[in-house]
Amino acid sequence: MGNQFQLHRRKKIRVNGFVIDASNITLAKWIFQTYPETTDNVKVQNQSLRNTYMNLLCRTIGILYHTPLGYLTEAELTKASKDLHDLTQVGFKLDWLNSKFDKVSSEKKTSEERIVELKLEVKKLVMTVSDLKVERKNEKKKLKKQPSWIHLA
């Protein structure tokens, strides 16, 4: 059992006063290098809560930066929005991530709207093709009809 505890402890790493999952180490370092002001105003004193919020931030970044738009669900966007609000409320400075959220949300909405437009266009084209097939069929029937100037006695 002691080995399990040590193994579990090795999966956590301290970065800038936060203990985070080892899987998020590269991301956490990127946050602190690129946006060092992100955690300057964090009000939470409880270390466990601070760590939880930092891991939440890493998960939210993962969703917004690494999930392709086609796989990003409305529920995930709603949760990301709520999480960003919660993180901001406890003092995380996330203007940069809110901008990314707005961009991703807008791109997804625009893409979904365009898909609906294209589906409607395809539907119209299918109807046009169908109408043309009927017209072609009628023209072929005319060609097979006996001309009116030929009378059989």
Side-chain angles (χ1 to χ4, degrees):
M1 186 154 155
N3 289 340
Q4 286 178 332
F5 178 72
Q6 288 175 350
L7 180 61
H8 179 68
R9 276 186 83 195
R10 280 189 244 140
K11 291 183 179 182
K12 305 280 185 188
I13 298 173
R14 182 175 290 280
V15 178
N16 286 36
F18 293 88
V19 179
I20 61 165
D21 295 331
S23 62
N24 291 328
I25 187 68
T26 303
L27 181 55
K29 285 182 178 179
W30 174 81
I31 293 168
F32 290 116
Q33 289 171 355
T34 310
Y35 303 101
E37 71 283 358
T38 297
T39 60
D40 288 349
N41 298 323
V42 174
K43 303 167 194 163
V44 178
Q45 298 300 314
N46 179 296
Q47 189 62 49
S48 180
L49 278 176
R50 289 172 59 86
N51 301 339
T52 299
Y53 280 119
M54 179 53 80
N55 284 307
L56 177 61
L57 174 59
C58 290
R59 281 192 300 277
T60 304
I61 291 170
I63 288 168
L64 295 177
Y65 278 84
H66 302 294
T67 305
L69 286 178
Y71 295 102
L72 192 58
T73 66
E74 196 61 39
E76 287 173 314
L77 280 175
T78 300
K79 183 170 178 356
S81 176
K82 180 192 170 306
D83 292 345
L84 284 170
H85 175 76
D86 292 347
L87 289 163
T88 302
Q89 289 298 306
V90 297
F92 282 85
K93 186 168 172 34
L94 299 173
D95 295 340
W96 57 275
L97 193 54
N98 281 311
S99 293
K100 178 66 174 178
F101 174 82
D102 292 342
K103 181 180 177 190
V104 167
S105 294
S106 175
E107 286 177 5
K108 180 159 178 67
K109 183 179 179 187
T110 301
S111 293
E112 287 174 344
E113 288 171 354
R114 182 67 179 138
I115 287 169
V116 169
E117 288 173 8
L118 290 171
K119 282 181 179 179
L120 287 173
E121 267 186 64
V122 167
K123 199 174 199 177
K124 287 178 186 176
L125 289 171
V126 166
M127 291 302 296
T128 300
V129 167
S130 179
D131 291 346
L132 289 171
K133 283 181 178 181
V134 168
E135 188 177 335
R136 183 187 73 191
K137 187 177 179 181
N138 290 336
E139 289 299 319
K140 282 184 175 182
K141 282 181 183 178
K142 284 182 187 177
L143 287 174
K144 291 182 180 178
K145 267 187 174 180
Q146 195 173 46
S148 60
W149 51 270
I150 299 178
H151 295 288
L152 294 174

